[in-house]
Amino acid sequence: MPEDSARPAGRAGIDTGTAHAARIYDYILGGTDHYPADREAGDAMCREWPALPVHMRANRDWLNRAVRRLAEEAGMRQFLDIGTGIPTSPNIHEIAQSVAPESRVVYVDNDPLVLTLSQSLLNSTPEGRTSYVEADMRDPRTILDSPAFRDTLDLAEPVALTVVAIVHFMLDEDDAVGIVRRLLEPLAPGSHLAMSIGTAEFAPQEVGRVAVEYAARGMPMRLRTFAEAGEFVEGLELVEPGLVQVHKWRPDGADPGPIRDEDIAMYGVVARKP
């Protein structure tokens, strides 16, 4: 593991003394872009729910499968990734461009550390293109009006919108469903939405304790029921198998072993805009 001093700790805007959701995720998944506060938080959360690493890995594996299916089966050649987080190979453009080298991807995040590390997100094939927008998804207009978005994606053609493991950090007053709909609105028919949505329905006590740990660090959570998760895809055409726990969404046999339902606190869904 690199020393903390080797990381971009001095970059303006990066608060290394406060835990951050993306860096906690990176730490629990075995990454290197985190700080002592993130490690303390991740360790505390894993003590409350030892299955947390299994849950997080299953979510990441679901994203990889969903992107590959979107590229291979749905013919998606354009991707808009909201809440990108710390780069973790394979990134979306690496998966999409392995299927179709001409694929284009716009990454969006508001974390200064992600911006610092974004060079690995911009390493596109010559045929394709990637770009990065520093913006908060709570302000869709900033994303949709950004030059990087407009220069990279052709809105006359379908786009795959990915919103992964982020809406559980949006409270009711943020109107997460409305924000996702505003992001979908300008996208052409045939576009797709791929989402993973946090839930406490399968391990309410354990996930509830993890939520308390997040809230204690200034990251309150809004975990959703199956019915509430379904609100995000109302009016869209669900891709089989519909809205299910992420480990049940078209598994490809690459998982390390059997996964218990109670170890997964995330729904996954892919849906098509008619």
Side-chain angles (χ1 to χ4, degrees), residues 70-146:
L70 285 166
E72 289 179 342
E73 299 178 10
M76 293 292 101
R77 298 296 179 261
Q78 302 190 109
F79 292 80
L80 173 59
D81 182 51
I82 304 295
T84 296
I86 292 171
T88 303
S89 188
N91 294 294
I92 286 178
H93 73 279
E94 294 170 322
I95 298 171
Q97 291 179 350
S98 72
V99 175
E102 69 275 19
S103 297
R104 297 181 166 218
V105 180
V106 173
Y107 293 104
V108 180
D109 207 291
N110 67 342
D111 181 358
L113 181 59
V114 177
L115 176 62
T116 298
L117 301 170
S118 65
Q119 189 55 48
S120 64
L121 300 174
L122 304 178
N123 186 24
S124 173
T125 59
E127 303 93 328
R129 183 171 179 178
T130 63
S131 60
Y132 182 87
V133 177
E134 186 174 19
D136 191 319
M137 74 174 289
R138 294 174 178 84
D139 185 7
R141 200 72 259 161
T142 299
I143 299 168
L144 300 172
D145 289 344
S146 67

Side-chain angles (χ1 to χ4, degrees), residues 228-252:
E228 290 170 332
E231 293 175 10
F232 287 98
V233 290
E234 287 181 359
L236 304 179
E237 300 169 352
L238 298 188
V239 174
E240 290 294 333
L243 178 66
V244 296
Q245 286 176 283
V246 289
H247 66 298
K248 295 181 176 180
W249 196 92
R250 305 179 74 168
D252 58 9

